[in-house]
Amino acid sequence: MTIKNTIKNYIGIVVLYILSWINAFKLKLGILKEKYGIIGFFQVDGLKLSRRMNSEDMIEALKEFDSFKPDDVIISTYPKTGTHFTMGIVYSIFEEKGLVALNSQHSHIAAMEMRAPAIMRIITGQKQAAGPLGHLETCKSPRIFVTHLPWDFLPPAVRENKVKVIFSDRYK
């Protein structure tokens, strides 16, 4: 039994050692990608954004987006502050008031700075929208837009059209 446990411990140590090298390599690769702009991040007006979720053309197009309606709701949250929880509450209120059909949330909710993945478009039956923000216009009214962008990055049309904005932030 003792030899078996010793061998198990050695194998465990070797596996941890190999995994640490793999993680170090991934970290180094990520730094290189960020440094040379392959994946990493980009900056817009001093705000660092991830290329995995955002793109420069979508952020620029968002600044000029003006197709807001008075019944639109924008949920603007800091990441990890209950974005989906808030979205669920707002949608539940819409359902209770009879503004939307039951279980039709995919046709009313859209992320402002992120395009829906292809699999979501297939599941919900959405067509590929034209332009970087075409997916926002294909949503049925009343629309719920979700974003992690700060207030300064929201288009001026939000203030002009009296769109309802729910903002959530972290308190430390």
Side-chain angles (χ1 to χ4, degrees):
M1 265 321 187
T2 333
I3 295 176
K4 228 179 194 183
N5 288 340
T6 306
I7 293 173
K8 244 188 206 180
N9 289 340
Y10 280 133
I11 291 173
I13 291 171
V14 169
V15 167
L16 287 175
Y17 181 74
I18 292 170
L19 288 176
S20 69
W21 273 100
I22 290 171
N23 287 334
F25 179 73
K26 285 181 181 178
L27 180 67
K28 186 69 173 172
L29 186 64
I31 291 170
L32 290 175
K33 285 182 180 180
E34 181 180 340
K35 182 178 178 182
Y36 296 108
I38 299 168
I39 293 180
F41 299 92
F42 65 97
Q43 283 201 344
V44 177
D45 299 334
L47 182 67
K48 194 173 188 180
L49 298 169
S50 169
R51 289 185 198 277
R52 290 184 183 188
M53 295 174 31
N54 308 299
S55 67
E56 289 97 336
D57 60 335
M58 289 186 92
I59 299 298
E60 291 303 316
L62 188 62
K63 289 180 181 178
E64 287 130 30
F65 186 73
D66 61 351
S67 298
F68 290 106
K69 301 174 185 173
D71 62 347
D72 289 344
V73 175
I74 297 175
I75 300 172
S76 177
T77 62
Y78 186 82
K80 300 292 186 192
T81 58
T83 306
H84 290 96
F85 178 72
T86 308
M87 187 171 56
I89 290 174
V90 171
Y91 189 78
S92 295
I93 292 170
F94 280 12
E95 277 183 342
E96 285 292 319
K97 297 280 185 184
L99 299 173
V100 295
L102 291 174
N103 298 325
S104 65
Q105 63 263 28
H106 293 296
S107 57
H108 293 278
I109 299 173
M112 288 181 77
E113 76 273 11
M114 296 175 276
R115 186 175 303 216
I119 189 71
M120 282 303 292
R121 288 195 302 271
I122 292 168
I123 291 171
T124 60
Q126 291 178 353
K127 294 180 175 54
Q128 178 69 30
L133 296 177
H135 67 288
L136 298 182
E137 295 181 19
T138 60
C139 286
K140 294 179 182 175
S141 195
R143 302 178 296 184
I144 302 171
F145 297 129
V146 182
T147 183
H148 290 310
L149 296 175
W151 174 257
D152 301 339
F153 278 77
L154 296 180
V158 170
R159 295 173 208 78
E160 295 164 6
N161 293 341
K162 306 279 190 236
V163 177
K164 292 158 229 50
V165 178
I166 299 171
F167 181 74
S168 174
D169 198 1
R170 293 181 86 155
Y171 178 72
K172 291 184 178 187

